[in-house]
Amino acid sequence: MTLTDPVKSVTLLSVSKVICSFSLLCIATADDAAFMSKLAKALTPTPSGWSATSFCSWTGVDCSANRVISINIASQSLTGTLPPDLNSLSHLTSLYLQGNALYGALPSLAYLSMLESVYLDGNNFTSIPDGCFQGLTNLQSLSMTDSINLAPWAIPTDLTQSSNLVKLDLGNANLVGTLPDVFDSFVSLQELCLSCNNLTGGLPKTFAGSGIQNLWLNSQKDGFGFSGIIEVLASMTHLSQVWLHKNLFTGPIPDLSNCTTLFDLQLRDNQLTGVVPPSLMSLSSLQNVSLDNNVLQGPVPSFGKGVKVTLNGVNSFCRKDAGPCDSRVTTLLDIAKDFGYSLQLARSWTGNDPCGDWSFVVCAAGKIITVNLAKQNLTGTISPAFANLTDLRNLYLNNNNLGGSIPGGLTTLAQLEVLDVSYNNLSGDVPKFPTKVKFNTAGNALLGHSGGGGGSGTTPSNGSGDAPSGSPNAASGGSSLSPSWIAGIVVIAVFFVAVVVFVFCKCHAKNRHGKVGRVNNLENGKEVVPSFGDENVTMSINFFGK
Ligand SMILES: *[C@@H]1O[C@H](CO)[C@@H](O)[C@H](O)[C@H]1NC(C)=O
Ligand SMILES: *[C@@H]1O[C@H](CO)[C@@H](O)[C@H](O)[C@H]1NC(C)=O
Ligand SMILES: *[C@@H]1O[C@H](CO)[C@@H](O)[C@H](O)[C@H]1NC(C)=O
Ligand SMILES: *[C@@H]1O[C@H](CO)[C@@H](O)[C@H](O)[C@H]1NC(C)=O
Ligand SMILES: *[C@@H]1O[C@H](CO)[C@@H](O)[C@H](O)[C@H]1NC(C)=O
């Protein structure tokens, strides 16, 4: 595949656009009039200023060459059900219907390829047809918040064809299901609002590297909501406002030091664990942050003077006041970190005295002698920080799902008597312990095999152990490029086929209508064809200028 292929397709595309607009003009004017008259009848009351004979002079209706390009009837207390063939308005670029009480099924918007802005918020629509958002290749804004009468529906993946999408606002719209992992399709997306729905599941991997600035996923239905870790935020470097409150997120707050424009971080009412990263406290763009009602650990965070912080209901810090934790606590939190700050550890390991009533820890004379974390469904790796528990005699980590290797530093534990790491998924070299240590490594099929990553504690690759050792970076760079090319080519190809089919059908229809259509076609065609490419621009400028 060479670079010239897409260019050729684009040329074909513009040729077909010209043909298309030629053939469209003759018959479509009649279509717009028919639809607009149906629309006027469907709305109660009839919108003010909709009495003139020509729909192009109705208030809120903009035309270009007698085709409807914009309808704005926002906030007029209108009721009624929209006629189903709305997508016959093939030149429509903007549709503003928000703040009415329109009900029934939303008509399909499919293949309105000039459509840029759609605002449907605060109506009474009850359903959205399948494929409603297919082929909206120029869509920039879709807003349908406060649509509480909608039957439960899923985030429409058809929107992946709208690669120009800047703003997707579907808050309080009865959405269910998960966030599809398709955000690599939305290269222009800046605003994603899915607050106040009944969505579940994790944050999609394709959030990584996205240009999203405002991410509002907060306040899903009580007892449900998004879950899993929020690590992907670290690679969303355009974020400015992040509202994740009232969900079921777990794991630590990631290092957000690359999110240099982040000013508003709402994380309250989740199940986040771990130490608040010092990088967050020194993030200079930050203005307000809420951390309330999580299971955060370690020292109480101290933010800069100008930052508005709320921390109510977090009882898991090591102290009530600011200041460092006891060194045993610090070591155990280092250990917990490599288990992904598991929630059950965070719930138990609170306060500043591990020899108090901490689960899984046994002390003698204020010294930790046993750590027993057998059968706790732990994931992650065995922390080298265990080597800092210098009085440790017994360490049970068996029957979990730990990966990585056994840290060599454990051999320096002079008091060690029992080390049980059996039935995990450990790999790499096996350190040599003194013979007095009862060392159980059973049930780790990958342990001690050569080529297990050179023995260093942190080298095992994350789940891609059998990838060829060529150049992983180049490979992933290539794969991030090609999907967009492929998507582009597919969209162009699909559009071209659709245009050919459309022109073919319309020509048949035209032949039946006789010669009148042809005359119009030629007269209007001269004016419209050259300005075809600029039409969208001037239209939307005119609209917003009003
Ligand atoms: C629209 O929905 C609201 C709230 O659900 C309801 O109060 C109102 O009666 C509905 N209006 C129509 C015309 O259906
Ligand atoms: C939310 O969705 C779940 C299924 O994920 C369902 O069991 C629950 O009833 C829904 N809650 C509401 C309030 O709609
Ligand atoms: C966070 O700060 C911004 C600007 O200072 C403000 O507009 C916004 O309402 C604040 N958010 C909350 C939840 O306090
Ligand atoms: C052990 O503790 C010391 C200080 O008490 C610290 O500098 C070191 O990083 C710790 N080692 C590990 C492996 O955490
Ligand atoms: C065990 O670890 C290897 C990598 O070392 C990984 O590919 C595999 O999926 C893991 N198995 C389980 C059951 O987690």
Side-chain angles (χ1 to χ4, degrees):
M1 184 111 342
T2 67
L3 281 179
T4 53
D5 285 329
V7 176
K8 271 184 200 160
S9 317
V10 170
T11 320
L12 281 175
L13 183 67
S14 40
V15 169
S16 58
K17 266 187 172 179
V18 170
I19 298 170
C20 176
S21 54
F22 255 115
S23 62
L24 275 175
L25 266 160
C26 53
I27 15 102
T29 317
D31 290 358
D32 281 5
F35 177 83
M36 293 307 286
S37 128
K38 268 188 281 180
L39 177 61
K41 287 194 189 103
L43 298 173
T44 312
T46 306
S48 61
W50 278 34
S51 51
T53 43
S54 165
F55 58 87
C56 286
S57 50
W58 292 354
T59 308
V61 176
D62 284 352
C63 292
S64 169
N66 231 27
R67 302 299 315 274
V68 176
I69 56 163
S70 173
I71 299 178
N72 183 351
I73 46 173
S75 306
Q76 297 194 29
S77 307
L78 305 172
T79 68
T81 300
L82 298 174
D85 52 337
L86 176 68
N87 61 357
S88 66
L89 300 180
S90 59
H91 280 49
L92 199 63
T93 63
S94 48
L95 184 61
Y96 294 83
L97 305 178
Q98 71 271 28
N100 289 297
L102 304 172
Y103 58 85
L106 177 74
S108 177
L109 304 175
Y111 302 108
L112 286 175
S113 59
M114 298 186 187
L115 199 56
E116 292 172 2
S117 304
V118 178
Y119 288 79
L120 305 168
D121 318 70
N123 277 291
N124 286 24
F125 294 115
T126 49
S127 65
I128 297 191
D130 282 347
C132 179
F133 303 109
Q134 273 174 56
L136 303 184
T137 46
N138 266 311
L139 192 66
Q140 290 169 19
S141 302
L142 174 61
S143 189
M144 203 170 177
T145 58
D146 301 322
S147 301
I148 54 173
N149 294 351
L150 279 178
W153 61 305
I155 294 169
T157 46
D158 290 343
L159 284 173
T160 51
Q161 296 162 15
S162 306
S163 54
N164 296 327
L165 199 63
V166 174
K167 173 179 148 138
L168 180 61
D169 285 354
L170 301 174
N172 198 24
N174 246 349
L175 285 169
V176 294
T178 59
L179 254 176
D181 197 10
V182 295
F183 285 81
D184 47 348
S185 306
F186 301 125
V187 291
S188 307
L189 194 64
Q190 293 177 7
E191 180 173 316
L192 179 65
C193 174
L194 300 170
S195 312
C196 307
N197 283 296
N198 192 4
L199 293 165
T200 55
L203 298 182
K205 287 192 181 70
T206 46
F207 268 178
S210 92
I212 297 177
Q213 296 169 11
N214 299 311
L215 181 65
W216 294 312
L217 304 178
N218 57 290
S219 311
Q220 301 300 313
K221 288 277 186 296
D222 279 346
F224 298 93
F226 293 109
S227 56
I229 62 170
I230 61 172
E231 176 64 34
V232 73
L233 296 183
S235 53
M236 300 175 72
T237 54
H238 292 81
L239 289 172
S240 63
Q241 212 171 19
V242 176
W243 290 6
L244 300 185
H245 50 282
K246 288 197 74 186
N247 277 293
L248 302 172
F249 288 114
T250 54
I253 301 173
D255 176 358
L256 300 176
S257 50
N258 288 330
C259 304
T260 51
T261 49
L262 182 65
F263 76 89
D264 188 13
L265 180 63
Q266 304 293 323
L267 298 177
R268 67 182 160 83
D269 301 299
N270 279 292
Q271 297 173 354
L272 298 174
T273 54
V275 177
V276 178
S279 62
L280 186 66
M281 301 176 225
S282 55
L283 190 65
S284 59
S285 55
L286 204 60
Q287 289 175 17
N288 43 16
V289 51
S290 73
L291 302 173
D292 321 60
N293 301 316
N294 282 293
V295 201
L296 298 168
Q297 300 164 277
V300 175
S302 87
F303 289 86
K305 263 196 171 168
V307 187
K308 194 182 139 198
V309 189
T310 59
L311 280 171
N312 299 318
V314 184
N315 303 316
S316 39
F317 293 124
C318 62
R319 296 160 52 152
K320 304 275 176 230
D321 53 351
C325 303
D326 182 280
S327 67
R328 296 165 304 171
V329 171
T330 305
T331 299
L332 286 171
L333 291 181
D334 275 353
I335 289 166
K337 179 180 186 180
D338 285 359
F339 300 142
Y341 287 119
S342 97
L343 188 57
Q344 87 263 33
L345 289 190
R347 290 215 162 109
S348 169
W349 290 5
T350 71
N352 213 13
D353 180 11
C355 296
D357 56 356
W358 286 29
S359 305
F360 319 114
V361 176
V362 179
C363 295
K367 295 179 167 152
I368 296 169
I369 58 164
T370 297
V371 173
N372 184 349
L373 288 164
K375 301 181 186 174
Q376 295 304 317
N377 288 318
L378 294 176
T379 57
T381 58
I382 302 174
S383 171
F386 274 113
N388 270 3
L389 298 176
T390 48
D391 303 294
L392 197 63
R393 292 178 204 166
N394 308 295
L395 176 54
Y396 299 93
L397 297 170
N398 49 292
N399 299 83
N400 285 296
N401 193 21
L402 300 172
S405 58
I406 303 169
L410 297 191
T411 57
T412 64
L413 289 169
Q415 311 298 318
L416 196 63
E417 290 164 12
V418 176
L419 174 58
D420 191 344
V421 295
S422 58
Y423 302 99
N424 279 290
N425 189 20
L426 299 169
S427 57
D429 293 339
V430 184
K432 286 208 166 47
F433 287 91
T435 45
K436 66 159 185 161
V437 177
K438 274 200 227 157
F439 182 30
N440 187 356
T441 62
N444 289 284
L446 304 173
L447 196 59
H449 289 279
S450 56
S456 156
T458 48
T459 39
S461 58
N462 289 337
S464 59
D466 52 358
S469 59
S471 50
N473 285 338
S476 68
S479 68
S480 75
L481 228 184
S482 53
S484 51
W485 275 111
I486 290 166
I489 291 160
V490 166
V491 166
I492 288 166
V494 166
F495 185 81
F496 182 68
V497 168
V499 163
V500 168
V501 169
F502 186 73
V503 168
F504 181 74
C505 295
K506 286 296 184 187
C507 285
H508 269 256
K510 206 171 32 176
N511 286 342
R512 273 189 265 127
H513 285 304
K515 285 185 181 172
V516 184
R518 284 201 152 167
V519 175
N520 287 347
N521 182 3
L522 285 174
E523 279 184 350
N524 294 338
K526 269 181 192 163
E527 273 182 36
V528 172
V529 172
S531 63
F532 189 92
D534 302 333
E535 256 179 48
N536 293 347
V537 181
T538 34
M539 283 164 191
S540 38
I541 288 170
N542 285 347
F543 181 82
F544 286 111
K546 284 203 165 178

